[in-house]
Amino acid sequence: AKTRLQGIGALGEDGRITAHGKALAAIPLPVPLAHMLLDAARAGEGDMAGRLAVLLTEPGLGGRGVDVEARLGRWRGQRGDRSEGAVRLARRLASIGDKLAAGTDEVAPRSIGGWISTAWPDRVARQRAGQRGEYLSVGGRAYRIDPVEPLAGSEWLAIADAQGHAAGVRILAAAPIE
């Protein structure tokens, strides 16, 4: 955990919390998503990152498909109390991110997969040669996705959620990444 927090700049080499770490602690999200939200706010994409964070923390929002981009699109078309409440929460999160990012260095905009990889850099995975739906992450873990899923044809995926152990880790939510 310490290495991961140092890797995103939340802890310094001396093990003490940094200004970035203090900002992350002020965001009511798990650390990876708070880091993504703050960086996205620095890129002017806080609204999108707020929606992405809510989508990834609210089961079933936007449907149950693996493709995070498709789920975001479906959520935009949903109506009802749950969907509208989730939109309000996303706006609040974006507002927090924007306030905390004010006056900090800007970062480049990214795709949905790029923002997922900001949250979980060890879950960027490349398709194994000739094995549709079989992926190996930069962190060394093997992941699987149903070969009939449209995402199974992507060379690279940023994995937001997975379930299982060892070679049986099944991808539950992901987006393509260049």
Side-chain angles (χ1 to χ4, degrees), residues 11-31:
L11 292 179
E13 291 299 319
D14 61 0
R16 292 186 173 177
I17 191 166
T18 63
H20 183 66
K22 289 177 184 176
L24 296 180
I27 300 171
L29 286 170
V31 171

Side-chain angles (χ1 to χ4, degrees), residues 98-158:
D98 289 343
K99 287 176 188 167
L100 292 170
T104 60
D105 294 336
E106 290 185 20
V107 298
R110 299 178 190 153
S111 65
I112 300 298
W115 289 120
I116 292 171
S117 71
T118 298
W120 297 283
D122 59 323
R123 292 188 195 168
V124 172
R126 185 176 191 180
Q127 188 173 54
R128 292 179 181 221
Q131 297 181 18
R132 183 176 173 90
E134 302 288 330
Y135 289 83
L136 183 62
S137 75
V138 297
R141 176 168 271 177
Y143 288 93
R144 301 175 68 188
I145 188 172
D146 190 334
V148 299
E149 282 282 343
L151 284 181
S154 301
E155 182 179 4
W156 289 92
L157 289 177

